[in-house]
Amino acid sequence: MSIVIRKAVQQDCPRMMELIYELAVYEKAPEEVTVDFDHFVNAGFGKTPVWSAFVAEQTDEFGLATVQALALYYTRYSTWKGETMYLEDLHVTEKSRGRGIGKLLFNKLIEEAKAKKYVAISWQVLDWNEPAINFYKKLGNVQFDAGWVNCTVNF
């Protein structure tokens, strides 16, 4: 089975939304996924896209290609550092974990961040998500910040 990491295209959006919902279920918050599909598509592929993504497409022995993972990101500006890549979601479907797909995706993110001259990649991970934390630790040179509290105002 071969794995290809590529830029997401608009036709990937239905599968990407499935993966996003799967991630929300894993994070015990499926009810938190409230984005409208059309809004999601427009936000990524409309006139002024606010997010980009890479997908991992796996081809089976019959030649059928299926998206098994995604890494969705956007540009964030730090007044202290400059432009950074913010990784909103990195998710590999459960049946495809352990095959190095997450590492391939993260390497592609690093390549993209360097090409865009970002100074860093930032993201969040839930403190109880030990498999993800262990994955990030294996990447090397990853800082885990303490002392920050996440804040949100919902409308």
Side-chain angles (χ1 to χ4, degrees):
M1 293 191 197
S2 66
I3 298 166
V4 173
I5 306 299
R6 61 172 175 76
K7 274 281 206 191
V9 295
Q10 187 169 341
Q11 293 76 11
D12 293 321
C13 287
R15 179 63 178 145
M16 291 173 66
M17 286 298 300
E18 289 174 3
L19 291 170
I20 290 164
Y21 185 76
E22 184 179 296
L23 174 61
V25 168
Y26 177 77
E27 291 183 349
K28 302 173 179 81
E31 70 285 351
E32 296 293 323
V33 180
T34 59
V35 67
D36 172 85
F37 179 75
D38 290 334
H39 179 82
F40 177 75
V41 173
N42 189 55
F45 298 97
K47 286 184 180 182
T48 54
V50 296
W51 61 260
S52 297
F54 289 105
V55 295
E57 192 173 65
Q58 187 171 359
T59 304
D60 66 16
E61 64 272 14
F62 305 108
L64 180 63
T66 308
V67 171
Q68 297 295 322
L70 68 86
L72 189 144
Y73 66 93
Y74 51 88
T75 302
R76 184 172 100 177
Y77 187 80
S78 165
T79 57
W80 291 7
K81 305 288 183 187
E83 287 184 311
T84 64
M85 175 185 283
Y86 187 80
L87 175 59
E88 180 66 27
D89 287 327
L90 188 149
H91 180 65
V92 179
T93 194
E94 189 173 356
K95 70 180 182 178
S96 293
R97 291 181 193 149
R99 298 180 184 165
I101 294 173
K103 178 78 168 135
L104 290 171
L105 273 171
F106 213 92
N107 287 343
K108 191 66 168 177
L109 291 168
I110 291 170
E111 181 183 308
E112 180 83 351
K114 287 180 177 180
K116 291 187 174 192
K117 305 214 183 311
Y118 292 148
V119 297
I121 300 174
S122 300
W123 67 94
Q124 295 173 307
V125 61
L126 291 165
D127 60 0
W128 57 260
N129 191 348
E130 292 205 23
I133 291 168
N134 290 333
F135 169 77
Y136 295 131
K137 284 179 179 177
K138 289 178 190 173
L139 294 173
N141 198 27
V142 174
Q143 287 179 251
F144 289 85
D145 296 335
W148 289 90
V149 176
N150 294 315
C151 302
T152 304
V153 175
N154 291 311
F155 304 105

